[in-house]
Amino acid sequence: MALNFPRDASAVATDPFGERRRYPYVMTKAVLGARFRFESTSVALLDLVEAAYGGLPPYAWADTSPEFRIELRLQHRAPCYGNEPPPVQMQSGGGALCGVVDASNYVVMVPGEHRAVIVATDDMLAHAYHLRYELIEFAVFTLATRGLGLVPLHGACIGLGGRGLLLLGASGAGKSTLALHCLLQGFDVLAEDAVFVRPDHRFAVGVSNYLHVQADALALIDDDDARRWIGGSPVIRRRSGVEKFEVDLRRRQFADASMEIAGAVFVSSRMASDPNVLMSSMSAIDVFPRFATDQPYAAGQPGFEGFVRRIEKKGIYELCRGRHPNESVEALREVLCDVGRIPLEQSVAS
């Protein structure tokens, strides 16, 4: 049961902004190499934190790593949402960043102080996916990127032996399906939708909690147990209207918390002209324009061009579709084993 503590008239008079509010429930999580302290008036809100960040690989943080604090407050009101809540609107000013669903559901972040507050209502709690993804995870990722100097990339990261490949490309290109088949073929999946890097080195961090795939991906899975695992996962509905299985990776794998980036692959929805040649190296002159187009926010961050040039030395590739996703997995395996110097037979055995 979600427990809320209403404030009486005298409390409002002496503390009109609720600055002395008490939070009876506290949870600490390691996310993206930082310590996050979640304080809440509601067990149900902390359950969403646990759903997002419970059971993740351990992170080793330095004593100097900052602690981030997120307050979560539940308010009661009559339900007013239909199929889904309104989309989040972003605002900024006075050192604060805001994500606003409506007057009673919002997040306010102050990156300079490593703090945020999330306010949500009962009817928003009924839309748990949107609350978790668009307010809680949004706050965590925003504080971490600003406080730790990370740059977020829209893409996936898969790997072997601590070395990873960034999987980039437009929405709908098949990155999630490819990440799923990599997982089923023995790869680690660091992240499926958002990968975080520091521009001054080649390591990536992520949150390996969920992977989202459409129902038609089941037809391409040969393993009956894997098909039942995925098909039995909860279904979420994206803002676009697309429905996907939300597959909990923590039930299948225990991935590394970070990977050394051994290269980047732009996943294309085009079928390969030669079914025996799916992977091709990108010309150096095309690399940065492709990154800038594919990652417009990251491309505007300081040091990003230098980061791309460092990754370019490892290898930037384009991967076209084959007859089956497993063919693409093997193409990735060959590239990763080559740049990572992992014996091919060892990677298959793993």
Side-chain angles (χ1 to χ4, degrees):
M1 175 183 294
L3 302 178
N4 199 15
F5 294 82
R7 302 171 67 224
D8 58 28
S10 61
V12 172
T14 58
D15 185 21
F17 293 100
E19 296 171 277
R20 296 194 293 273
R21 188 187 309 266
R22 293 182 300 107
Y23 292 99
Y25 308 111
V26 177
M27 178 181 290
T28 302
K29 294 293 182 184
V31 187
L32 300 177
R35 181 185 288 107
F36 278 82
R37 177 183 173 89
F38 299 90
E39 303 173 337
S40 183
T41 61
S42 164
V43 172
L45 289 177
L46 286 189
D47 285 344
L48 292 181
V49 174
E50 181 66 24
Y53 304 119
L56 292 177
Y59 288 83
W61 51 51
D63 293 339
T64 56
S65 295
E67 180 179 81
F68 298 91
R69 179 183 171 190
I70 297 180
E71 303 168 42
L72 301 106
R73 305 174 186 171
L74 184 66
Q75 298 187 132
H76 299 298
R77 78 174 185 191
C80 64
Y81 295 148
N83 292 330
E84 65 181 18
V88 174
Q89 303 294 318
M90 299 182 190
Q91 299 287 341
S92 67
L97 305 174
C98 305
V100 180
V101 176
D102 61 25
S104 300
N105 292 279
Y106 54 85
V107 55
V108 179
M109 299 161 284
V110 186
E113 296 184 9
H114 302 148
R115 298 184 66 172
V117 59
I118 296 170
V119 178
T121 57
D122 298 300
D123 47 341
M124 188 68 178
L125 190 60
H127 297 274
Y129 167 72
H130 293 290
L131 174 53
R132 190 196 79 222
Y133 184 71
E134 297 179 349
L135 293 182
I136 296 175
E137 294 188 36
F138 174 48
V140 169
F141 288 163
T142 300
L143 290 180
T145 54
R146 299 298 177 96
L148 301 175
L150 303 174
V151 174
L153 301 177
H154 175 59
C157 185
I158 55 92
L160 292 168
R163 292 176 178 266
L165 289 173
L166 298 174
L167 302 183
L168 309 173
S171 296
K175 298 186 297 295
S176 296
T177 299
L178 183 55
L180 170 63
H181 284 270
C182 284
L183 175 71
L184 297 178
Q185 295 298 319
F187 283 70
D188 293 322
V189 176
L190 178 68
E192 172 238 1
D193 189 53
V195 185
F196 300 84
V197 300
R198 273 185 50 185
D200 57 350
H201 63 49
R202 292 195 302 268
F203 276 85
V205 293
V207 177
S208 53
N209 50 8
Y210 296 107
L211 194 152
H212 300 89
V213 293
Q214 296 186 51
D216 56 8
L218 293 176
L220 298 173
I221 298 174
D222 300 325
D223 184 87
D224 291 338
D225 289 339
R227 201 160 46 241
R228 283 192 292 269
W229 168 52
I230 296 163
S233 299
V235 176
I236 58 94
R237 187 174 185 272
R238 296 286 202 189
R239 290 287 183 181
S240 62
V242 175
E243 293 187 342
K244 294 189 174 186
F245 291 114
E246 186 169 61
V247 183
D248 194 332
L249 295 175
R250 292 161 291 186
R251 298 185 179 182
R252 184 91 180 193
Q253 72 162 26
F254 194 72
D256 293 333
S258 65
M259 290 182 183
E260 181 183 0
I261 302 173
V265 177
F266 285 92
V267 180
S268 173
S269 59
R270 292 185 294 107
M271 293 296 295
S273 56
D274 183 345
N276 296 314
V277 182
L278 306 185
M279 191 85 72
S280 59
S281 297
M282 289 186 60
S283 169
I285 197 172
D286 296 328
V287 167
F288 192 77
R290 183 70 175 270
F291 265 95
T293 301
D294 191 72
Q295 306 288 330
Y297 177 78
Q301 302 305 300
F304 185 73
E305 184 171 0
F307 167 78
V308 173
R309 298 309 177 200
R310 282 189 288 276
I311 301 303
E312 183 183 6
K313 294 178 181 178
K314 292 290 187 178
I316 309 293
Y317 307 88
E318 182 174 51
L319 175 66
C320 293
R321 289 192 177 183
R323 292 158 296 195
H324 191 281
N326 284 346
E327 296 178 352
S328 299
V329 172
E330 292 311 308
L332 292 173
R333 190 190 303 273
E334 290 183 13
V335 169
L336 189 55
C337 291
D338 180 48
V339 298
R341 298 183 296 278
I342 302 171
L344 185 58
E345 61 273 13
Q346 178 181 331
S347 74
V348 174
S350 65

